[in-house]
Amino acid sequence: MTAIEPGRVVAVAGTGTMGQGIAQVALVAGHPVRLYDAVPGRAEEAAATLTGRLDRLVAKGRLDTAARDAAVARLLPATDLAELADAALVVEAVLERLSVKQELFAALEDVVADDCLLATNTSSLSVTAVAGALRLPGRLVGTHFFNPAPLLPLVEVVSGFASAPDAVARAYETVLAWGKTPVRCSDTPGFVVNRVARPFYAEALRVYEEGAADPATVDAVLRECGGFRMGPFELTDLIGQDVNEAVTRSVWESFFHDPKFTPSLAQRRLVESGRLGRKTGHGWFPYGEGAAAPVPRTEEPHEAPDEVGLHADLGPAAVLREMIEEAGVKVTRDRTPYASGGFLTLPGGTALGLTDGSTATSGTSGPRIHFDLALDYRSCTRVALAPGADADPGDLRAAIGLFQRLGKRVSVVDDVPGMIVGRTVALLIDLACDAAARGVASARDIDTAMELGVNYPGGPGEWCDRLTAWWVRSFLRALDGTYPGGRYAPSTALSRRADTEAKQGRS
C-alpha cells in the first residue's frame, strides 16, 4: 500500500493548534488542504494564521517564495462538510470527547467516498471506540501527532480493533512521505508514549509526596544526572497540570485502576487550586515578570578523601572506579565477594554504593550512603546522594567531596527507596518491556517513540540492554518489598528477560 499522492486533497477537521499544525505538514508536503471547523469563521482565521506561518518560514530561509505562493494557493477553508467530498484523507483534530468525534465521522461518511481514509488525532480516546459507530470502521485509524506538529517528528499510527491493515499501511506510508517518523502501535490506553512515560511524572511526584526532595531538586537530578531534557515538574508546568493529570487519570481508569498508573494526590490538589503551570502564571514554580528561577539543593564544596576502598564490582556504575583513579584518589581493591553487591568504603567505614531499590538504612552490612543511577556517569553533571540514618556525617562530607572531585554537583536527598533516577528508569524499562510483550508496539518502535516523542536520552530497551533486565528486576523487587501492592512488581516480560540473561550468564 502506497502513500496518498501529493496531488490528492487532505482535509483537516478542527482548526485549533493541532489541526493547524497537521494542515501545515500536509500543505508543505504538496497536498491541496481543506480546513473545516464547525464554528463559523474559524476555518478562515486558521487559513490566515497558516499563511502567516508560511511567511515566517520564508523569512527564516526554510521555504522559498514560490513554494510559499503555491502552498497558499492550495489552502482552502471550508464552510460546510460537503466541501470535503473530494478528500482522499480526512484528519480529525476536534474536541477530545468521544461523542463529538463519533458524530463528526458519522457525518463525514455521508460526504466522502468509501475509499477515503479517515484518521483521528486523539491522544487519549480509544480509536476502536471512535470507529465503532461508523458504517465502514475499517478505514479509520489513529494518527497521533505531537505538538507542535510541524516540528516534532513522531507520529503514532494506531490500529483500532477494526482498522483494516491496508488502511493502517496507507496512513503509515503517507505520514512517512510527509517527512515524519511514524511508529505502529495497537489501540491501547495512552498508545506508546503516554503509556510508557507515566513513571517519569509519577515517581517524581511520589518522591515529592514522601518529602525526600523538593521539585527543583528532583528536576535537576533527572536533568543533570539522568540526562533528561526537562525535569517532570517543569515539564508538567509547560504541558499544563490539568492536561497532564487528565492523561494520567485517563490511562489509570482505562487500565481499571492498575496501581502502576495511579494518579498523584499532590498534582490533583495543584489542579484544584488553579495553579496549572505557565498558562496561569503558577504551577509547581512561579512564572512571569520577577518570578524567581527554581533553585535545586546543591551542596557546598567538601574535601575528597585521599583513598577509598572498592569491594566487588559497582555494576552499572563500574566506570566510577576509573574516574576516581583518574581524579587522583587512590582506590584500594578488595575482590572478596559481598552478598550486598559492590560498594566503595569511605575513610570512616561507611559503604558508598549504587541505589539498589532499597533504602540505605535498611542494609544489614553496616552504615551506608546510596548514590543515584546515572545513565552516563562521565557526562552527567550532578549526582544525588541519600545517606542512611546511621551514616557517619564525616563520611557523607567525604562522599560529597568525592563526587565533586569528579566534576559533579551534588544534591543530598532523604533516604527514599530507589532514589530518583533509579526508580524512574527502572519503571520506564518495565513498562516498555511489558508493552512490547503485549504487542502494543515493537521494542524498536517503543524506543523511537520515547526518544522522539518526549526527547528521552535513549530508549528503555537500550537502557535495559545496558543495565541488564536482571539488575532492573532486582531493583524493582526491592521497591516492591517496601511498597507492596503491585505498583513496583516486575512485569512477566521483564522477568522472562532476566531469566534468559541468567541462563546466558549475564546476571
Side-chain angles (χ1 to χ4, degrees):
M1 182 61 65
T2 57
I4 294 170
E5 299 83 358
R8 302 286 303 278
V9 172
V10 171
V12 178
T15 59
T17 302
M18 185 58 75
Q20 290 179 28
I22 296 170
Q24 180 179 330
V25 172
L27 199 62
V28 172
H31 293 274
V33 172
R34 305 269 195 278
L35 283 173
Y36 171 78
D37 199 292
V39 179
R42 287 274 179 85
E44 290 82 1
E45 291 174 8
T49 301
L50 272 175
T51 299
R53 288 184 181 181
L54 296 175
D55 290 341
R56 287 192 290 275
L57 290 178
V58 172
K60 294 177 181 178
R62 293 164 56 188
L63 189 71
D64 62 50
T65 303
R68 177 266 182 205
D69 292 343
V72 171
R74 294 194 303 272
L75 179 61
L76 294 173
T79 57
D80 190 276
L81 276 181
E83 296 176 55
L84 311 186
D86 58 346
L89 165 65
V90 180
V91 183
E92 164 275 314
V94 300
L95 187 66
E96 195 74 346
R97 188 176 299 163
L98 180 60
S99 61
V100 174
K101 294 179 187 292
Q102 288 179 327
E103 289 170 9
L104 171 66
F105 282 117
L108 280 168
E109 277 201 308
D110 294 333
V111 171
V112 299
D114 285 355
D115 62 352
C116 176
L117 182 64
L118 302 179
T120 173
N121 185 59
T122 184
S123 61
S124 60
L125 298 176
S126 163
V127 172
T128 301
V130 173
L134 296 184
R135 175 173 54 85
L136 298 173
R139 60 165 160 177
L140 189 138
V141 303
T143 52
H144 180 214
F145 289 76
F146 288 74
N147 192 31
L151 298 180
L152 294 185
L154 181 69
V155 179
E156 294 175 320
V157 178
V158 186
S159 299
F161 186 79
S163 298
D166 60 343
V168 176
R170 194 162 178 78
Y172 182 95
E173 293 298 331
T174 299
V175 168
L176 186 64
W178 290 357
K180 296 300 181 181
T181 303
V183 295
R184 294 180 176 88
C185 61
S186 62
D187 186 19
T188 186
F191 308 141
V192 176
V193 172
N194 280 333
R195 172 184 177 140
V196 175
R198 296 344 293 164
F200 182 70
Y201 312 107
E203 292 313 301
L205 288 161
R206 174 68 72 94
V207 168
Y208 165 75
E209 288 173 334
E210 293 189 13
D214 62 276
T217 300
V218 172
D219 277 359
V221 171
L222 281 161
R223 280 196 317 266
E224 301 170 38
C225 182
F228 292 90
R229 185 75 59 87
M230 296 180 73
F233 291 99
E234 61 182 337
L235 180 55
T236 52
D237 269 358
L238 178 64
I239 295 168
Q241 296 301 330
D242 53 338
V243 174
N244 183 261
E245 201 265 349
V247 172
T248 298
R249 188 168 295 277
S250 173
V251 172
W252 176 61
E253 290 173 349
S254 297
F255 277 112
F256 308 105
H257 296 183
D258 187 325
K260 289 184 180 290
F261 302 102
T262 302
S264 162
L265 180 59
Q267 188 176 38
R268 177 95 290 262
R269 292 292 180 259
L270 197 69
V271 172
E272 290 172 342
S273 73
R275 292 188 170 188
L276 306 183
R278 288 181 178 270
K279 61 187 177 184
T280 61
H282 207 304
W284 292 110
F285 308 114
Y287 299 94
E289 187 177 351
V295 178
R297 176 174 177 175
T298 303
E299 299 303 316
E300 296 296 323
H302 290 284
E303 290 294 322
D306 295 325
E307 179 179 335
V308 294
L310 173 63
H311 299 265
D313 183 77
L314 295 177
V319 71
L320 286 177
R321 177 189 61 79
E322 297 174 12
M323 294 172 62
I324 292 168
E325 290 178 327
E326 291 165 2
V329 177
K330 182 178 179 180
V331 178
T332 303
R333 305 177 198 179
D334 181 352
R335 300 189 183 279
T336 303
Y338 285 77
S340 58
F343 57 90
L344 299 165
T345 302
L346 297 166
T350 302
L352 175 63
L354 174 63
T355 178
D356 58 3
S358 65
T359 64
T361 303
S362 63
T364 59
S365 57
R368 294 181 71 88
I369 298 170
H370 280 164
F371 58 86
D372 209 347
L373 175 70
L375 294 170
D376 186 340
Y377 282 98
R378 285 197 177 274
S379 66
C380 77
T381 57
R382 183 181 297 268
V383 170
L385 299 178
D390 52 352
D392 180 75
D395 277 345
L396 176 58
R397 292 190 292 272
I400 294 168
L402 178 64
F403 280 104
Q404 289 172 337
R405 177 73 71 85
L406 302 183
K408 317 299 181 186
R409 289 181 285 272
V410 177
S411 294
V412 174
V413 302
D414 283 358
D415 187 19
V416 62
M419 298 191 68
I420 299 171
V421 180
R423 66 198 292 170
T424 300
V425 167
L427 278 168
L428 288 170
I429 290 171
D430 186 60
L431 286 190
C433 286
D434 181 64
R438 293 178 184 272
V440 173
S442 69
R444 177 176 294 182
D445 274 358
I446 290 171
D447 276 6
T448 298
M450 303 314 292
E451 290 178 49
L452 297 183
V454 277
N455 288 314
Y456 282 3
E462 172 199 339
W463 299 336
C464 191
D465 287 339
R466 287 162 49 193
L467 297 171
T468 75
W470 181 271
W471 185 86
V472 176
R473 182 176 67 174
S474 298
F475 191 100
L476 290 175
R477 281 177 170 173
L479 278 169
D480 188 46
T482 304
Y483 304 107
R487 181 185 181 103
Y488 301 101
S491 66
T492 301
L494 179 69
S495 291
R496 285 199 195 108
R497 186 165 174 174
D499 290 339
T500 300
E501 288 177 354
K503 291 178 181 179
Q504 295 172 345
R506 291 191 66 206
S507 60

